[in-house]
Amino acid sequence: MAFDAEKEITKLWRDLGSAQSEVGKTYMRWRRAALEIAGPGADPTEVSLKAARIIGAEFGRSLLPRLNWLKGEEAWLISLANQLAGQWATQGAQVKVEKGANPFELFIKWERCPWPTFAKEYDVPMEEDVRCCDAILETSLMDINVFFNVEYHIETLKAIPRGQGVCLRRLAKRIK
């Protein structure tokens, strides 16, 4: 039987999309179960934010071996931004990194993201979706900042769940 590269790529692409969808749905199912266990007095957003902070901390620690300071801080920052963007790209988002006007400033721009769709499907408020993404990103920087003795922060300027068409986040060195 002859190998059909186009057919194989199409199958892999379809399988990747299915896996990405299952990741989001599994998170939302976990959220539902956690809220049922927590009981009627639990604040759904706080439960989700707790998970987001755990996810962010573990993600940030996982980046430490991949970030290389030896090429200079600017190259290090670009690598960091690309790693952050890549995390969402593996989940099905379309994300790109753009240089800012100021030194040590980059913008991470989500042009498409599956997470608002998952939130909508599971009746999760859109603002909770934004806050959880923010918490993951902010928390991921905590150990990175300590390990590399830097102070970077990330702020959300626009968000798809807020009806702004894109998620735009500014990653920059904190001015003291």
Side-chain angles (χ1 to χ4, degrees), residues 142-163:
M142 291 173 65
D143 284 340
I144 291 169
N145 281 334
V146 170
F147 188 84
F148 289 98
N149 195 28
V150 294
E151 282 196 51
Y152 279 89
H153 70 285
I154 192 159
E155 63 181 314
T156 298
L157 306 174
K158 293 182 180 182
I160 293 169
R162 292 179 180 150

Side-chain angles (χ1 to χ4, degrees), residues 12-168:
L12 288 171
W13 188 253
R14 186 176 48 249
D15 292 348
L16 174 63
S18 295
Q20 290 167 333
S21 178
E22 195 58 33
V23 166
K25 290 177 180 180
T26 297
Y27 175 85
M28 293 301 173
R29 293 173 193 135
W30 163 87
R31 180 185 177 277
R32 183 184 298 159
L35 289 171
E36 286 179 17
I37 291 168
D43 180 339
T45 299
E46 286 305 314
V47 170
S48 291
L49 286 171
K50 177 68 174 173
R53 290 182 192 106
I54 291 169
I55 291 165
E58 289 185 10
F59 174 57
R61 284 191 295 275
S62 78
L63 294 182
L64 293 175
R66 293 183 238 156
L67 296 171
N68 185 346
W69 192 264
L70 295 177
K71 294 182 181 180
E73 189 171 358
E74 187 175 352
W76 175 88
L77 179 60
I78 291 168
S79 176
L80 172 60
N82 282 322
Q83 293 287 335
L84 294 172
Q87 176 65 15
W88 268 262
T90 62
Q91 298 171 35
Q94 288 186 348
V95 191
K96 62 183 177 180
V97 174
E98 300 172 346
K99 286 192 174 195
N102 300 315
F104 307 110
E105 172 188 68
L106 295 172
F107 292 92
I108 306 173
K109 184 177 182 181
W110 284 251
E111 294 178 335
R112 280 193 351 203
C113 184
W115 286 95
T117 300
F118 299 136
K120 186 176 180 180
E121 286 176 12
Y122 285 83
D123 296 320
V124 174
M126 288 293 113
E127 191 58 26
E128 181 179 311
D129 181 58
V130 175
R131 290 182 63 197
C132 285
C133 283
D134 289 347
I136 291 169
L137 290 162
E138 292 163 4
T139 308
S140 70
L141 292 176
M142 291 173 65
D143 284 340
I144 291 169
N145 281 334
V146 170
F147 188 84
F148 289 98
N149 195 28
V150 294
E151 282 196 51
Y152 279 89
H153 70 285
I154 192 159
E155 63 181 314
T156 298
L157 306 174
K158 293 182 180 182
I160 293 169
R162 292 179 180 150
Q164 296 170 313
V166 298
C167 287
L168 182 64

Side-chain angles (χ1 to χ4, degrees), residues 4-17:
D4 185 341
E6 188 172 330
K7 183 178 177 182
E8 291 300 316
I9 291 169
T10 300
K11 181 185 180 315
L12 288 171
W13 188 253
R14 186 176 48 249
D15 292 348
L16 174 63

